[in-house]
């Protein structure tokens, strides 16, 4: 497939990523096992009457997509593609609670209608009065990667020139309780987390929404070239190096061509071994990690893609993300490697625009 460009990038996360000087103001968040996104003043973007009926993920996505379109100078995208792992779980919980409280009788349909995963993409389209291709991917930790891949296909097939691509996930009280019970989330006694020497299982859970405009043509605002994406549901520990090397070979690259590799270390002793294996391939590259800044969640790779875009555009690598001391004078190629709990492995190759 031919190269496409990421022409804008916007993110709402547990960091203050809507403001300027993003790379200089990143702060580790490793002392609480559940960390919440820094939300903007929604009244500046959404009519107050609508805010009441929107779940958190819809509100975050509406604002993030607004920023992304504005930065790209696009009023109407040719397609809207959103990836999410949990969807509108806040409204799902409200609907299920209504079912129980009302003994399955006299239920209002509102929460059910708003609980579907494609609510986010639908609400963005309604707000823009956009009748173009509208699709939602629900593939746990590779939801954004599938969305980017679809955008690349839409552009390559001549179906679109500018595609709004996003990823979003929210926290809900009941889901977080369940994640604590089954040890998906770290116990309070295991905090703060040492991301490289963790002997305990579980992660710090975050949330957020990241949106990008992917275009056919390079613009003055372009952050990066989206070169290629690879996704695999299962990768054995002894297959990690081949998985990465084969991907690089497909793109006529070797490990020496990768200036920075961004790894999804989450502090989970069971699954971080994949990233440790990957590190061995890149002794001369800047090795970076990011989930101590964003927390772990289904679409956390949206945060790493957003940060990678800024690294390529600003040609700066934040000290707070560095694993080793290797730092290239210029950053041309960045490789992103992510999975969630050892499943759904993804590789994304970005190049300086």
């Amino acid at each position: 497939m031919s190269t496409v460009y990421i022409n804008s990038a916007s993110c709402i996360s547990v960091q203050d990523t809507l403001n300027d000087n993003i790379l200089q103001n990143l702060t580790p968040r490793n002392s609480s096992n559940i960390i919440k996104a820094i939300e903007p003043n929604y009244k500046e973007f959404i009519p107050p009457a609508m805010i009441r009926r929107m779940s958190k993920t819809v509100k975050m996505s509406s604002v993030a997509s607004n920023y992304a379109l504005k930065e790209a100078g696009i009023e109407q995208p040719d397609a809207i593609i959103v990836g999410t792992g949990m969807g509108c779980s806040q409204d799902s919980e409200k609907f299920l609670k209504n079912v129980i409280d009302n003994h399955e009788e006299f239920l209002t349909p509102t929460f059910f209608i708003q609980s579907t995963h494609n609510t986010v993409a639908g609400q963005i389209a309604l707000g823009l009065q956009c009748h173009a291709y509208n699709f939602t991917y629900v593939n746990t930790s590779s939801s954004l990667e599938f969305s980017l891949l679809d955008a690349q296909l839409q552009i390559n097939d001549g179906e679109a020139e500018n595609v709004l691509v996003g990823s979003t996930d929210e926290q809900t009280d009941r889901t977080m309780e369940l994640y604590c019970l089954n040890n998906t989330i770290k116990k309070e006694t295991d905090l703060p987390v040492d991301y490289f020497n963790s002997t305990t299982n579980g992660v710090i859970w975050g949330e957020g929404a990241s949106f990008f405009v992917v275009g056919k043509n390079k613009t003055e605002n372009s952050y990066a070239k989206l070169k290629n994406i690879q996704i695999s549901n299962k990768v054995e520990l002894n297959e990690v190096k081949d998985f990465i090397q084969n991907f690089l070979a497909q793109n006529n690259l070797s490990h020496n061509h990768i200036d920075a590799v961004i790894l999804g270390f989450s502090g989970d002793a069971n699954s971080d071994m994949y990233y440790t294996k990957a590190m061995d391939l890149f002794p001369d590259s800047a090795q970076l990690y990011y989930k101590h800044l964003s927390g772990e969640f289904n679409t956390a790779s949206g945060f790493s893609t957003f940060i990678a875009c800024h690294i390529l555009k600003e040609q700066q690598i934040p000290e707070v993300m560095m694993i080793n001391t290797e730092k290239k004078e210029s950053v041309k190629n960045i490789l992103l490697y992510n999975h969630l709990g050892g499943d759904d492995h993804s590789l994304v190759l970005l190049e300086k625009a």
Side-chain angles (χ1 to χ4, degrees):
M1 285 194 292
S2 58
T3 298
V4 296
Y5 294 88
I6 297 177
N7 292 331
S8 71
S10 173
C11 181
I12 292 175
S13 69
V14 302
Q15 302 289 327
D16 194 8
T17 36
L18 282 181
N19 287 327
D20 297 331
N21 302 318
I22 291 154
L23 298 184
Q24 291 76 36
N25 295 323
L26 296 170
T27 308
R29 302 289 300 275
N30 61 354
S31 298
S32 176
N33 59 358
I34 298 171
I35 45 179
K36 295 190 178 296
I38 297 172
E39 297 179 84
N41 182 3
Y42 293 122
K43 291 178 183 176
E44 294 178 11
F45 306 92
I46 307 166
M50 291 180 67
I51 292 173
R52 292 198 308 272
R53 296 194 297 271
M54 286 182 168
S55 67
K56 189 175 185 177
T57 194
V58 173
K59 289 187 287 189
M60 290 193 298
S61 300
S62 296
V63 174
S65 61
N66 181 291
Y67 269 88
L69 289 168
K70 194 173 180 181
E71 185 182 18
I74 302 290
E75 288 187 8
Q76 284 285 342
D78 302 314
I80 297 171
I81 307 172
V82 175
T84 180
M86 298 292 287
C88 298
S89 48
Q90 195 175 90
D91 284 318
S92 299
E93 283 189 11
K94 286 177 182 176
F95 173 70
L96 292 170
K97 188 175 186 301
N98 270 353
V99 170
I100 295 165
D101 292 347
N102 293 297
H103 309 290
E104 302 181 26
E105 296 179 335
F106 314 118
L107 300 173
T108 55
T110 310
F111 292 134
F112 176 73
I113 293 165
Q114 293 177 341
S115 71
T116 58
H117 289 69
N118 59 358
T119 299
V120 174
Q123 287 281 3
I124 292 169
L126 282 170
L128 296 171
Q129 291 296 294
C130 176
H131 303 283
Y133 178 88
N134 192 291
F135 210 85
T136 299
Y137 284 90
V138 186
N139 297 84
T140 62
S141 64
S142 50
S143 299
L144 173 64
E145 289 76 4
F146 274 105
S147 301
L148 288 169
L149 194 56
D150 190 1
Q152 199 172 11
L153 287 166
Q154 294 291 324
I155 292 168
N156 280 201
D157 290 345
E159 298 289 333
E161 287 198 4
N162 293 290
V163 182
L164 178 65
V165 181
S167 64
T168 181
D169 274 298
E170 66 185 2
Q171 296 169 358
T172 54
D173 294 340
R174 183 59 180 152
T175 303
M176 294 303 100
E177 285 174 16
L178 295 172
Y179 279 0
C180 287
L181 284 172
N182 73 358
N183 297 322
T184 296
I185 292 174
K186 281 199 185 292
K187 294 180 172 67
E188 295 278 357
T189 52
D190 296 331
L191 301 175
V193 178
D194 181 346
Y195 277 78
F196 302 114
N197 302 298
S198 177
T199 56
T200 58
N201 296 330
V203 300
I204 288 175
W205 203 262
E207 61 181 350
S210 302
F211 276 77
F212 311 89
V213 171
V214 178
K216 179 182 179 181
N217 302 312
K218 182 181 176 181
T219 68
E220 290 181 3
N221 291 328
S222 291
Y223 283 82
K225 294 179 189 175
L226 176 59
K227 297 291 286 183
N228 207 350
I229 297 166
Q230 184 156 327
I231 302 158
S232 179
N233 175 246
K234 287 286 182 187
V235 176
E236 298 299 328
L237 201 56
N238 59 358
E239 297 171 341
V240 172
K241 290 184 180 180
D242 287 341
F243 176 59
I244 296 172
Q245 285 175 325
N246 291 340
F247 175 71
L248 293 176
Q250 288 170 24
N251 295 283
N252 301 313
L253 298 173
S254 71
H255 63 87
N256 295 320
H257 294 107
I258 301 300
D259 300 305
V261 56
I262 302 182
L263 304 166
F265 277 100
S266 65
D268 178 50
N270 267 349
S271 61
D272 277 350
M273 293 181 288
Y274 287 96
Y275 300 123
T276 306
K277 287 278 185 187
M279 282 171 63
D280 296 339
L281 284 173
F282 302 100
D284 301 319
S285 306
Q287 298 172 357
L288 312 178
Y289 71 122
Y290 66 94
K291 286 177 183 170
H292 63 308
L293 305 172
S294 68
E296 175 71 286
F297 55 103
N298 284 270
T299 49
S301 59
F303 181 85
S304 67
T305 306
F306 171 78
I307 293 295
C309 286
H310 276 274
I311 290 172
L312 286 167
K313 190 171 187 177
E314 298 174 32
Q315 290 293 293
Q316 290 181 37
I317 294 177
E319 296 282 346
V320 72
M321 293 179 68
M322 294 185 68
I323 299 171
N324 61 355
T325 55
E326 196 68 39
K327 215 174 195 181
K328 299 293 175 81
E329 287 185 13
S330 67
V331 182
K332 182 185 178 186
N333 293 308
I334 294 183
L335 179 69
L336 286 75
Y337 175 32
N338 187 56
H339 63 74
L340 179 64
D343 294 327
D344 297 300
H345 298 252
S346 65
L347 296 169
V348 177
L349 180 62
L350 299 178
E351 184 184 312
K352 186 177 184 293

